[in-house]
Amino acid sequence: MSVSFSAGSIENLKSRVDIVDVIGQVVPLKRAGSNYKGLCPFHGEKTPSFMVSESRQYFTCFGCGAKGDVIEFVKRYYNMDFVEAVEKLARDYGVTMETRNYDDHRGEYYEINRMAAQFFYDAFTKKANRGYSYMEGRGIAPATLKKFGIGYADGEWDSLYRFMVSQGVEVKKLQELGLVSTSKGKCYDRFRNRVMFPIINTSGKVIGFGGRAVSPEDNPKYLNSPESRIFQKKNNLYGLNISRKAAGDEGFLILVEGYMDVIALYQSGVHNVAASLGTALTENQARLIHRYTKEVVLSYDADRAGRAAALRGIEILRKEGSKVKVLHVTDGKDPDEYVKKNGRDAFLELVGNALSYGEYKLESAKLGYDLSSDEGRLDYMKKAVEIIAEMSPLEQEIYKKKMAGDLGVAESAIDRELALRDGRRSPQTSETRRQMRREENAPEAREKISPLEKTLLKLVLTDDDYLPRLAEEKDVELSLPAQDILEHALREKERHPDAVTDTVQLIEGLPEPESRALQQLMEEIMLDPEHEKVYEECLKTARSEKLAKREQEILTMLSMADEGGSQEQIRQMTDELMRIQRERKNLR
């Protein structure tokens, strides 16, 4: 059941809750003119630059740039998503929220998986079994096993199947969730003779399972639930339901490869740890991590595959605005082995010495080159220049010095190599900006798709020529559901570049409520035959709305700047305000 709040109830909540009271409970505030001032909770500072406006019900930090209303503060401070923040405020202040529930039968699937997890847990804990012996042999304590809900699928062919059917569960749903399979008209358990790791999302719902074989002859070693209505690997991380608070408290998340790495580290006292689900890190997973912490330490295996995964992960996490470091264990093939052999403190020392993303990329680039030879150093330098060219100017200065020192060459030589490159890409593409904006704009996106967005989506799905243009348009800031529809359409176009966009297939491939929204807009929106005229008018409107939003932000910050901002900051904001007002006038 997906939950959305009506716009009226959100406004009612914000009118009933005083932002000064909410922030004042966790941040010491002092009156500063018409506003309140304190030390920013989102970055370390000794001189207060964090301002709260009672009249505008708005906060801003002139140090790190954090800003927003009371819901945004609760999201940031408590590491919550929009719905969680609204529910917390409503609960704390006794406000009843008007909700809209979209029933796509997910609740029933969650309940089936919960029953299966309990069945596996009972089999694991209530009688002797090979799964428990295996985990005991791996040094995992009973308290840790219970914390992660570890279970056991016995060696029988249909234990789970018979239990579920006896509870009235439809066989079709068991098949859809990948709990049972069918062959020659007979049903049998998909997981047999395996330690079972329930995969639980951050809302506490069991969405799938990972099964580890306990007999060498059983293949594959790991068997995971297939993709289903409630389980998509790209959207989830193993253990994050347990570790998200620790990640926020520690200021970073350690991302590992396997279930056992998470469990072993957690047992050792390293609680800010999670794992990707057997696949390369995805943008959705990076976005999920960014909700709880802005720093990540990648701890993948040190083999070729682990290094390749780390290099891909670095780029994906940085696109999402995360600060990334990488470590490889030095004694043992993975974090599980290392922490058992050397202990928590030794592992944390590795974390402390993790390489920054630039250092790691340059170190990885050295592999395969003989740096003792002039030819090898030259080949490496050319590759390293490609890496440095992708960095920001400040980062380039740092890593040019490091590279020059490592190779014994002049920085001017590296500068000349960089100058020879054509079309150096900006470190922040339009796609990066959109992705970094998604979490910030998620609250507004949950309510509805705007009329402007409906027109643009109808246009790009009617005329394929506009699809890539809209995807790269920096002035159009789509809401989250509209962005999801656009990205889904782009993926379909990549798969079938020569085919006309099939909106029926798009609708069927989207979750609720986006599929219903797309169906409605395709039926309701009528386009002018002159598509270019429609597109240009939409861009003009989008630009005007973006400027208006920024104008209001600046006006709010200027009203608070007398007590918190420097004269230079005030001058810069005033200059930007005048520029925006001129541009809005020209658009009109």
Side-chain angles (χ1 to χ4, degrees):
M1 190 80 75
S2 301
V3 178
S4 176
F5 300 106
S6 68
S9 64
I10 293 293
E11 289 306 312
N12 177 57
L13 174 68
K14 291 195 286 188
S15 69
R16 298 268 300 276
V17 174
D18 182 7
I19 193 172
V20 176
D21 179 57
V22 172
I23 296 178
Q25 294 178 37
V26 292
V27 178
L29 297 174
K30 292 183 178 180
R31 171 76 70 171
S34 60
N35 301 309
Y36 291 83
K37 179 187 286 189
L39 294 174
C40 180
F42 306 122
H43 81 289
E45 62 176 6
K46 295 180 180 179
T47 302
S49 60
F50 181 79
M51 306 297 300
V52 184
S53 171
E54 187 172 28
S55 61
R56 294 179 179 270
Q57 292 291 296
Y58 195 87
F59 76 89
T60 188
C61 176
F62 292 98
C64 69
K67 61 183 182 296
D69 60 15
V70 67
I71 298 174
E72 179 64 20
F73 178 84
V74 172
K75 276 181 57 187
R76 281 175 172 263
Y77 188 82
Y78 294 101
N79 287 323
M80 292 180 170
D81 63 22
F82 178 69
V83 172
E84 290 170 335
V86 168
E87 289 176 341
K88 174 177 170 56
L89 286 168
R91 184 172 57 252
D92 290 350
Y93 288 85
V95 179
T96 302
M97 298 299 297
E98 177 186 334
T99 61
R100 299 173 182 173
N101 298 320
Y102 302 102
D103 191 357
D104 56 3
H105 305 290
R106 294 190 181 199
E108 187 175 357
Y109 288 88
Y110 289 135
E111 176 59 18
I112 293 171
N113 271 349
R114 186 202 65 78
M115 292 168 62
Q118 186 65 53
F119 179 84
F120 293 138
Y121 182 77
D122 289 344
F124 187 70
T125 57
K126 291 186 175 180
K127 59 182 179 181
N129 60 84
R130 299 177 69 183
Y132 197 93
S133 299
Y134 172 82
M135 294 299 282
E136 196 174 37
R138 295 286 296 264
I140 308 302
T144 306
L145 296 171
K146 182 177 180 181
K147 182 73 176 180
F148 285 88
I150 305 302
Y152 176 62
D154 64 33
E156 300 296 325
W157 280 86
D158 59 356
S159 297
L160 178 67
Y161 167 73
R162 285 185 286 106
F163 170 75
M164 286 298 201
V165 170
S166 73
Q167 300 299 306
V169 178
E170 294 179 39
V171 174
K172 179 182 178 182
K173 291 184 171 64
L174 295 173
Q175 292 172 323
E176 289 174 1
L177 292 171
L179 292 170
V180 305
S181 299
T182 304
S183 177
K184 298 179 180 179
K186 292 185 177 182
C187 292
Y188 58 92
D189 294 348
R190 188 166 185 266
F191 297 100
R192 301 185 306 279
N193 197 26
R194 291 177 180 271
V195 174
M196 298 300 293
F197 302 85
I199 301 166
I200 302 172
N201 65 16
T202 54
S203 298
K205 302 289 195 302
V206 181
I207 56 176
F209 297 91
R212 206 283 185 196
V214 294
S215 298
E217 63 271 16
D218 289 339
N219 288 305
K221 182 165 72 172
Y222 279 98
L223 180 65
N224 294 318
S225 293
E227 302 266 303
S228 70
R229 189 174 300 183
I230 62 173
F231 179 48
Q232 292 83 41
K233 293 179 183 178
K234 66 179 182 179
N235 296 336
N236 297 278
L237 293 163
Y238 179 72
L240 190 62
N241 61 305
I242 293 173
S243 65
R244 58 179 179 165
K245 184 179 186 304
D249 293 342
E250 296 291 337
F252 67 97
L253 179 75
I254 300 169
L255 194 61
V256 296
E257 289 191 40
Y259 305 126
M260 290 302 300
D261 293 327
V262 172
I263 292 170
L265 286 173
Y266 189 92
Q267 179 170 278
S268 76
V270 180
H271 291 174
N272 53 328
V273 59
S276 50
L277 293 166
T279 57
L281 189 70
T282 68
E283 291 179 357
N284 288 2
Q285 289 171 330
R287 197 172 303 131
L288 179 63
I289 293 169
H290 198 260
R291 179 187 297 173
Y292 300 106
T293 182
K294 306 302 182 283
E295 296 190 18
V296 181
V297 174
L298 290 174
S299 180
Y300 288 172
D301 290 351
D303 58 15
R304 183 181 296 273
R307 284 188 174 273
L311 290 169
R312 287 194 302 269
I314 286 172
E315 298 305 326
I316 290 169
L317 288 161
R318 279 176 55 81
K319 266 189 176 183
E320 201 56 39
S322 293
K323 180 180 177 181
V324 192
K325 291 185 176 182
V326 184
L327 73 83
H328 286 309
V329 296
T330 55
D331 184 11
K333 67 178 184 180
D334 54 36
D336 175 18
E337 283 189 9
Y338 184 89
V339 77
K340 286 174 182 173
K341 183 176 181 180
N342 300 285
R344 172 181 178 272
D345 291 344
F347 183 79
L348 290 180
E349 186 175 347
L350 287 183
V351 173
N353 294 326
L355 297 177
S356 68
Y357 95 97
E359 291 175 304
Y360 184 75
K361 292 187 75 171
L362 290 173
E363 285 297 317
S364 296
K366 290 179 181 178
L367 298 177
Y369 294 109
D370 179 9
L371 298 186
S372 64
S373 70
D374 290 340
E375 183 179 357
R377 289 166 62 230
L378 183 60
D379 288 341
Y380 164 68
M381 190 171 83
K382 289 179 179 179
K383 187 171 183 179
V385 164
E386 295 289 325
I387 295 170
I388 292 175
E390 298 294 328
M391 298 178 181
S392 69
L394 182 59
E395 290 169 334
Q396 286 186 12
E397 288 301 311
I398 293 172
Y399 290 109
K400 280 191 302 182
K401 285 184 173 61
K402 179 174 176 57
M403 180 177 165
D406 286 348
L407 298 177
V409 298
E411 282 186 54
S412 58
I414 301 174
D415 285 329
R416 286 193 294 273
E417 283 292 326
L418 286 168
L420 291 174
R421 285 177 44 87
D422 292 327
R424 185 184 305 168
R425 291 183 298 172
S426 166
Q428 192 179 90
T429 64
S430 59
E431 173 64 15
T432 305
R433 289 190 291 271
R434 279 203 304 276
Q435 294 294 344
M436 292 178 68
R437 185 177 49 76
R438 288 168 66 87
E439 184 68 24
E440 177 183 337
N441 287 348
E444 293 76 18
R446 291 175 181 272
E447 185 56 28
K448 61 181 179 179
I449 298 176
S450 71
L452 171 65
E453 292 172 331
K454 289 181 179 179
T455 301
L456 282 168
L457 289 173
K458 178 66 178 281
L459 176 61
V460 301
L461 296 178
T462 301
D463 189 335
D464 285 347
D465 291 342
Y466 292 92
L467 188 57
R469 289 176 62 181
L470 179 59
E472 292 301 320
E473 187 55 61
K474 63 182 180 180
D475 281 333
V476 179
E477 298 187 349
L478 296 176
S479 63
L480 194 56
Q483 184 73 37
D484 286 342
I485 292 172
L486 178 64
E487 290 177 354
H488 189 53
L490 286 167
R491 287 194 296 271
E492 287 298 313
K493 193 63 179 175
E494 287 176 2
R495 282 195 286 264
H496 309 289
D498 299 325
V500 177
T501 301
D502 186 343
T503 54
V504 174
Q505 185 173 340
L506 285 179
I507 290 169
E508 291 177 349
L510 285 165
E512 288 283 5
E514 284 85 353
S515 61
R516 182 167 59 255
L518 177 56
Q519 185 171 1
Q520 288 176 346
L521 75 86
M522 293 302 293
E523 294 172 354
E524 295 171 2
I525 301 298
M526 303 299 292
L527 293 177
D528 188 299
E530 296 184 34
H531 287 177
E532 186 62 25
K533 177 181 177 182
V534 173
Y535 188 68
E536 291 300 328
E537 284 297 320
C538 284
L539 294 189
K540 183 177 177 182
T541 302
R543 178 63 180 165
S544 180
E545 290 178 354
K546 183 179 179 180
L547 290 171
K549 180 181 177 182
R550 180 57 181 163
E551 182 180 23
Q552 287 304 309
E553 285 182 352
I554 295 173
L555 288 170
T556 297
M557 288 190 289
L558 280 172
S559 73
M560 303 162 71
D562 288 340
E563 294 87 18
S566 67
Q567 289 302 310
E568 177 61 20
Q569 287 174 322
I570 292 173
R571 185 191 66 76
Q572 290 175 355
M573 286 188 289
T574 303
D575 289 347
E576 184 181 359
L577 179 63
M578 293 174 65
R579 179 186 60 77
I580 287 172
Q581 290 174 339
R582 286 196 301 269
E583 188 170 348
R584 289 195 69 198
K585 183 178 179 180
N586 292 335
L587 284 173
R588 287 194 294 268

